[in-house]
Amino acid sequence: MKKILSFILAIFFVTLIVSCNNPLPKQMPEDFSFSLQWGIWGKSYYNSETGELIKSKYEDNKEDFKTVCFLNEDELESVYSILVKLNIDNYDDMKPQEFRQCTPGMKYELEVKINKAYKIITLPEGIDSSRTHITSRARRIQKSIDQITEIIYQKEEWKALPKEERLYY
């Protein structure tokens, strides 16, 4: 009997530890929203709550392209699913040594809002997103951000904005 009770308690504690590891519920809450800043100097931006979408011109003295774009329910669910798989609590302490660097580098900041709580992940500046990063953790966050930006890039509102000027390749 003691062995069975010990086994049940062990399963309970393992389940508890695993569930505490990922604060995001499996089902997307109604109040879920996110914002993402990305690109060279972090000048491109999207906010799912306000619909604000900025496509950068990458030039200091020129105004960026701006529009309003809302993700539909399926697209928001896709972003949410990416974040659940990522387990965003594992990315509070990202270090430059985990990433390949370049100049000018990319800047990324991801903010997630759920149940009036905020989670912000800021990656070190100067990331070279075109090369494989050093740690698996850095590769996972980069892949997740790339998947989210791909959802944004597929929106007609993004495609309707003028092409951004490529100063760096």
Side-chain angles (χ1 to χ4, degrees), residues 135-156:
T135 67
S136 61
R137 192 168 78 134
R139 289 189 294 274
R140 278 193 304 275
I141 187 74
Q142 183 69 56
K143 179 181 178 191
S144 297
I145 289 172
D146 290 347
Q147 290 171 329
I148 294 168
T149 56
E150 190 56 38
I151 292 168
I152 296 167
Y153 294 156
Q154 296 306 312
K155 296 297 287 182
E156 290 303 318

Side-chain angles (χ1 to χ4, degrees), residues 111-162:
E111 180 178 322
V112 178
K113 293 182 197 176
I114 295 176
N115 300 326
K116 299 179 184 169
Y118 293 87
K119 175 70 177 180
I120 298 174
I121 300 171
T122 304
L123 302 186
E125 286 193 45
I127 293 173
D128 182 351
S129 62
S130 67
R131 294 175 33 206
T132 302
H133 294 303
I134 298 165
T135 67
S136 61
R137 192 168 78 134
R139 289 189 294 274
R140 278 193 304 275
I141 187 74
Q142 183 69 56
K143 179 181 178 191
S144 297
I145 289 172
D146 290 347
Q147 290 171 329
I148 294 168
T149 56
E150 190 56 38
I151 292 168
I152 296 167
Y153 294 156
Q154 296 306 312
K155 296 297 287 182
E156 290 303 318
E157 293 86 346
W158 178 270
K159 292 176 183 178
L161 293 171

Side-chain angles (χ1 to χ4, degrees), residues 54-108:
I54 299 172
K55 185 186 249 188
S56 177
K57 280 192 169 185
Y58 299 124
E59 292 187 23
D60 291 335
N61 58 353
K62 291 191 176 178
E63 199 169 308
D64 294 324
F65 307 116
K66 297 179 184 182
T67 192
V68 174
C69 172
F70 289 97
L71 299 182
N72 64 37
E73 192 72 17
D74 289 341
E75 293 162 335
L76 270 178
E77 294 241 2
S78 292
V79 170
Y80 187 77
S81 175
I82 291 165
L83 296 173
V84 167
K85 288 176 190 169
L86 180 63
N87 194 356
I88 61 176
D89 270 354
N90 290 334
Y91 298 89
D92 287 337
D93 60 342
M94 299 303 298
K95 309 244 183 311
Q97 299 86 338
E98 296 183 73
F99 297 91
R100 303 282 182 205
Q101 303 288 307
C102 69
T103 303
M106 305 295 241
K107 178 180 178 185
Y108 297 98

Side-chain angles (χ1 to χ4, degrees), residues 40 102-104 128 130 163-169:
I40 296 174
C102 69
T103 303
D128 182 351
S130 67
K163 277 189 108 169
E164 64 269 27
E165 298 164 7
R166 297 274 185 197
L167 299 177
Y168 303 96
Y169 292 93

